[in-house]
């Protein structure tokens, strides 16, 4: 990339794809944690369930990641990867938030 110029579309798409892979791994891990916590809750009927709290924790983690990475990339004028980060992490955070509110 030349000094002082905007990043090319190819560079932006490459960064967006690389970050998307990382996002999907993190989202999968958080989904797995929620599922395992819900599974463990089914064996511990005497205490309140922990799965909604785990879903909220994951939701806030994803919201923070969306704001920091998506907002930072948009501030650096990397429009494509910044938008992808905001959309992917925002949708995943919304889904985890719905899971937390459901229980």
């Amino acid at each position: 990339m030349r000094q002082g110029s905007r990043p090319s579309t190819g560079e932006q798409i490459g960064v967006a794809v690389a970050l998307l892979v990382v996002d999907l791994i993190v989202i999968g891990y958080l989904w797995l944690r929620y599922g395992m916590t819900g599974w463990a809750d089914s064996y511990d009927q005497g205490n309140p369930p922990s799965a909604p709290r785990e879903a909220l924790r994951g939701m806030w983690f994803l919201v923070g990641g969306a704001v920091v990475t998506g907002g930072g990339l948009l501030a650096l004028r990397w429009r494509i990867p910044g938008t992808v980060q905001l959309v992917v992490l925002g949708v995943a955070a919304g889904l985890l938030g719905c899971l937390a509110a459901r229980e």
Side-chain angles (χ1 to χ4, degrees):
M1 185 168 91
R2 294 179 307 277
Q3 181 103 11
S5 66
R6 292 181 50 198
S8 71
T9 303
E11 289 174 329
Q12 289 189 44
I13 290 173
V15 169
V17 168
L19 289 173
L20 180 64
V21 170
V22 173
D23 291 344
L24 293 177
I25 291 169
V26 169
I27 291 166
Y29 172 73
L30 292 171
W31 188 269
L32 180 68
R33 279 187 61 109
Y34 170 75
M36 292 297 288
T37 305
W39 175 74
D41 285 345
S42 69
Y43 288 102
D44 190 16
Q45 300 291 330
N47 293 319
S50 301
R53 188 173 58 244
E54 191 66 38
L56 277 176
R57 185 179 303 133
M59 180 198 73
W60 284 113
F61 181 74
L62 291 174
V63 166
V67 169
V68 170
T69 59
L73 286 167
L74 287 174
L76 292 173
R77 301 176 50 126
W78 287 69
R79 305 269 189 255
I80 296 170
T83 304
V84 168
Q85 287 294 101
L86 285 173
V87 169
V88 170
L89 294 177
V91 167
L95 289 174
L96 275 175
C98 288
L99 289 173
R102 185 180 68 157
E103 295 187 27

